[in-house]
Amino acid sequence: MQQNHHASINRQAGADALSAKAIAIGQEKGLSIVKCEWDLGQDFGLQHAHRLDLFTETKTVRVYFPDLELSTTGSESRLKRSEERLRSAVAQLLTVPPAPTYSFR
């Protein structure tokens, strides 16, 4: 089963677009994402084919993307899913320290 790789499928461009989106979402929330590091997988059938690590000064979060979300652009529903995944990851970077478990009476 030969996979057809042609130049029109540019995963790096998809990855770059998602990185830019993650940084923009971070800025919206007052968060500075200092680095986006991709591991573009080779097994494109996997649900978690590609991995993105987002770094702030103090925290890191890892997000996985199926190949279709990197290799196709312009699909409204896919863009929405990707953005929701990024928003959820950025929210994890924002988490505040947990409140003490005891309470005063």
Side-chain angles (χ1 to χ4, degrees), residues 68-86:
L68 274 174
E69 288 182 33
L70 261 69
S71 58
T72 55
T73 51
S75 160
E76 201 56 45
S77 64
R78 266 190 214 112
L79 279 170
K80 196 167 172 2
R81 271 200 305 274
S82 297
E83 184 170 333
E84 283 167 4
R85 202 170 280 133
L86 288 171

Side-chain angles (χ1 to χ4, degrees), residues 29-97:
K29 310 276 185 212
L31 185 72
S32 174
I33 293 174
V34 295
K35 189 165 100 179
C36 299
E37 190 172 282
W38 280 95
D39 178 7
L40 298 178
Q42 299 305 310
D43 190 347
F44 303 131
L46 290 177
Q47 176 62 26
H48 303 303
H50 308 296
R51 187 180 79 217
L52 169 62
D53 292 322
L54 298 174
F55 296 86
T56 64
E57 290 297 339
T58 56
K59 286 180 108 176
T60 308
V61 68
R62 177 166 287 174
V63 202
Y64 292 93
F65 290 90
D67 188 57
L68 274 174
E69 288 182 33
L70 261 69
S71 58
T72 55
T73 51
S75 160
E76 201 56 45
S77 64
R78 266 190 214 112
L79 279 170
K80 196 167 172 2
R81 271 200 305 274
S82 297
E83 184 170 333
E84 283 167 4
R85 202 170 280 133
L86 288 171
R87 286 189 179 283
S88 149
V90 169
Q92 291 176 49
L93 291 169
L94 284 167
T95 52
V96 290

